[in-house]
Amino acid sequence: MKITSVKSRAIALLSTTALLATIVVASPAQAAAVGPTCDAKTPIQTCVGTTSDGAAYEIRVPSSFNGTVAIWSHGLGVSWPVSAGLLPPFPNGIPVDPRANVAPYTVVGSTSSALASSILADGVAVMGSGFPVQGWNLDEAVKTNVELIGIFKKAFPTTKKVVAWGYSAGGGITQALAEQHPEIVDAVAIIDPVAPAPAMQKLLMDALWLFKTYFDPSMKLTGYSAGKAGDLEATADIGKMYSILASVGANMSTGKWPATAGPSGKALEAAGVPVRSAMLLCALLVGLPVQSASYDNINGPDGALKLTFPLAVSPALAALENFGVALTSGLSMAREWDTKFGPNWYDNTKTNFATQLSESDRDIYNAALSGNTVIDALLSVLNPANPAAPRLVGEASAVAKAAGMYSTTGKITVPTIMMTGTNDPVPAASWIQQVSDKYAVQFAADKAAAMAAAKKSRVYVAPKNKLSVFWLKPPKNWTKFDAAGSPIAQSYVAGNGHALFTQKQFKFMIDSAIKAANTGVVPSGGPSTTAARKAGLVKDKYSAYPYLKYYN
């Protein structure tokens, strides 16, 4: 069996499809609000315009409009265009794209247009914008959405209900909108959401620093130059990250480290530490899932590696595949935050990385990490006293500005439907678990208050349940091998990847949110459970997903 490969195979394992599904690139802001300009067509009327912050928007209203509108928020966008030929997964570059989105851009097995049409067919209007800025834009996007909702209500005064939905960063935007303005949205559907800003900053910047420390000290990460020069530096960092992943993927069996590895990495290599163990440790230290679209940690090829592959190799390959999605987003946000807050906005001088490896992970993945001696050697490199592993030292004013961004709280203010894949590399499952646990406490307090009120009034008014969480789980096993015993890259397996869902799953989410908007309570019971099951989703009362490292 071969687990070595050429670079093209390693690049194929980076799951860039998931990234492309959520990227929209920045466009220049315009001076003033324009429109809406409507075409008056039937059965679907389309209106376009720009908000006062320069964000292009689009509205589609069916002739059968029933008074409900769904406002969509798209995911993360890079804040600078990437020229062709600079990044292998994007050979044609990433051009500036100012388009508004009215529905999810990528729909597994279908199209965005088909999904939007299915919503319109129910008499529901759809709308969305391109936002005035890209990158981490919760503050700006919430303002745009508030204005767009006002524009829609003025143009269509028969509006009765507003439902907001979004995925990835758009899930965070939707959550922030509900937290800040519950008076203008009646229900929300939050899909694969990003966690609050501090938690995402820690996950992404810690992961990037680990890559820099182990694999390529020339990565810049922060303190980029101003303007185009800084854009090119950030693009170069993304290219270095892809080169690291390709090298590690090509040397899983040999253990060879990337040629770019610094003194610490070279010393570990000389001591016989396999590079796969370092890759896996990076994922475990930041809380990234170690199952992915191609690797289940269960299946092995026929022959001598039937048991060894899933135990010792598969977790590292899954980490590599998931990092390909997470760190591309991370570097684009690092550049955007650098521009917005100033150089050196992140500080990890007080981080104790050794404590971020849980005892359970040390035990479960001990073989894949090559045993306790290797684990301790890898962790020793991260000691603050190691001169070959300089920490990221924040500049006080920039750190303060970064901390000043709005950060979602997880407080449920309106009926909320949430959905995620269990192995999302963001990882959304960790944040949704925390929101769910937090709401359980909130709902228990509401019940207690209702009981206390009933003792006085002798009438018990049950509180309305405002949260329902649905999980997309992978099959029991899914890794595949070719005739030679090499793993086969898979672009989509349910429950893996980022923001990858079918039309049935997206439609279930928006339909559930619309029902919740009309009743004030999330759908529950047999009909909702059956509809979820038909869409491939489940309510999971028994699993507990670990919180993000920021909260531990």
Side-chain angles (χ1 to χ4, degrees):
M1 173 215 149
K2 298 178 181 177
I3 55 176
T4 57
S5 61
V6 296
K7 284 189 177 182
S8 60
R9 179 182 285 255
I11 291 296
L13 299 179
L14 301 185
S15 296
T16 53
T17 301
L19 177 69
L20 284 167
T22 58
I23 280 186
V24 179
V25 187
S27 60
Q30 298 181 23
V34 177
T37 301
C38 302
D39 61 13
K41 292 183 178 179
T42 58
I44 305 298
Q45 178 177 203
T46 300
C47 306
V48 297
T50 58
T51 53
S52 61
D53 54 17
Y57 65 79
E58 181 178 342
I59 296 168
R60 300 181 197 173
V61 183
S63 300
S64 58
F65 180 51
N66 62 15
T68 298
V69 59
I71 180 169
W72 172 254
S73 292
H74 69 67
L76 178 73
V78 297
S79 54
W80 75 95
V82 176
S83 300
L86 294 181
L87 298 176
F90 306 99
N92 297 320
I94 308 176
V96 171
D97 183 356
R99 293 173 298 176
N101 292 180
V102 300
Y105 183 75
T106 294
V107 182
V108 174
S110 186
T111 65
S112 178
S113 178
L115 174 58
S117 295
S118 71
I119 299 169
L120 290 162
D122 293 336
V124 176
V126 296
M127 65 177 176
S129 80
F131 300 131
V133 297
Q134 304 306 317
W136 189 275
N137 60 357
L138 269 66
D139 293 279
E140 297 87 353
V142 166
K143 292 178 181 177
T144 301
N145 280 350
V146 169
E147 182 177 350
L148 182 54
I149 290 169
I151 289 171
F152 185 88
K153 287 183 173 180
K154 183 176 181 180
F156 300 94
T158 59
T159 302
K160 301 173 184 175
K161 301 291 181 181
V162 176
V163 174
W165 63 321
Y167 64 21
S168 189
I173 291 165
T174 300
Q175 188 171 358
L177 177 65
E179 290 176 2
Q180 294 181 29
H181 297 282
E183 75 282 359
I184 65 171
V185 291
D186 298 286
V188 296
I190 298 171
I191 303 163
D192 269 4
V194 294
M200 292 303 299
Q201 288 170 352
K202 177 173 176 58
L203 186 156
L204 296 170
M205 293 305 292
D206 281 0
L208 290 168
W209 181 82
L210 290 168
F211 267 49
K212 175 184 174 76
T213 300
Y214 283 130
F215 307 126
D216 190 346
S218 72
M219 294 179 75
K220 199 170 178 68
L221 306 188
T222 187
Y224 294 112
S225 300
K228 181 67 174 178
D231 295 345
L232 291 174
E233 290 167 1
T235 302
D237 270 356
I238 296 176
K240 290 173 184 178
M241 183 267 293
Y242 284 135
S243 294
I244 290 167
L245 295 175
S247 175
V248 174
N251 289 286
M252 280 286 169
S253 63
T254 68
K256 182 180 179 181
W257 285 59
T260 55
S264 295
K266 292 185 185 301
L268 289 167
E269 182 178 26
V273 175
V275 71
R276 62 174 170 80
S277 297
M279 179 60 66
L280 175 59
L281 182 66
C282 289
L284 296 175
L285 289 177
V286 302
L288 210 68
V290 291
Q291 287 183 306
S292 68
S294 302
Y295 303 104
D296 59 14
N297 302 346
I298 298 171
N299 288 352
D302 292 333
L305 293 177
K306 182 71 173 178
L307 298 179
T308 303
F309 180 87
L311 183 67
V313 180
S314 184
L317 284 167
L320 182 149
E321 193 165 54
N322 285 333
F323 270 130
V325 177
L327 293 192
T328 304
S329 302
L331 280 163
S332 66
M333 282 193 280
R335 169 56 177 156
E336 191 267 336
W337 281 328
D338 212 59
T339 302
K340 184 178 288 187
F341 306 125
N344 307 314
W345 55 270
Y346 186 73
D347 189 300
N348 70 355
T349 56
K350 296 181 180 179
T351 301
N352 185 345
F353 284 94
T355 63
Q356 293 186 189
L357 179 65
S358 69
E359 288 301 318
S360 61
D361 281 347
R362 181 187 274 262
D363 291 340
I364 292 169
Y365 300 103
N366 201 270
L369 291 168
S370 303
N372 287 325
T373 300
V374 167
I375 295 171
D376 291 339
L378 286 165
L379 290 174
S380 69
V381 168
L382 310 179
N383 191 305
N386 179 11
R391 295 299 181 96
L392 298 176
V393 180
E395 196 278 316
S397 63
V399 171
K401 289 179 182 178
M405 289 190 297
Y406 180 76
S407 185
T408 50
T409 66
K411 182 176 176 61
I412 302 302
T413 58
V414 300
T416 301
I417 319 293
M418 303 186 87
M419 173 176 72
T420 188
T422 57
N423 291 328
D424 184 334
V426 166
S430 296
W431 175 235
I432 287 182
Q433 179 70 60
Q434 192 164 348
V435 171
S436 181
D437 291 348
K438 187 173 183 177
Y439 184 70
V441 175
Q442 178 184 331
F443 193 53
D446 291 343
K447 285 183 176 180
M451 290 294 293
K455 289 181 180 179
K456 296 180 179 180
S457 67
R458 298 187 180 278
V459 177
Y460 177 71
V461 180
K464 293 182 177 181
N465 181 23
K466 293 183 179 180
L467 178 65
S468 192
V469 176
F470 295 91
W471 304 87
L472 178 60
K473 293 197 168 188
K476 291 182 179 180
N477 57 305
W478 62 90
T479 298
K480 298 178 181 180
F481 301 88
D482 61 22
S486 295
I488 298 172
Q490 300 181 69
S491 61
Y492 173 74
V493 172
N496 295 281
H498 183 52
L500 296 176
F501 300 95
T502 65
Q503 180 165 319
K504 276 188 177 182
Q505 289 156 0
F506 280 126
K507 189 64 165 53
F508 169 80
M509 288 295 289
I510 192 62
D511 285 350
S512 296
I514 290 169
K515 289 178 182 177
N518 288 322
T519 64
V521 62
V522 295
S524 61
S528 177
T529 301
T530 299
R533 186 172 63 250
K534 287 181 178 179
L537 303 170
V538 297
K539 280 192 171 184
D540 187 355
K541 298 180 180 179
Y542 307 105
S543 300
Y545 299 90
Y547 289 2
L548 292 160
K549 298 295 182 179
Y550 177 81
Y551 299 102
N552 294 330

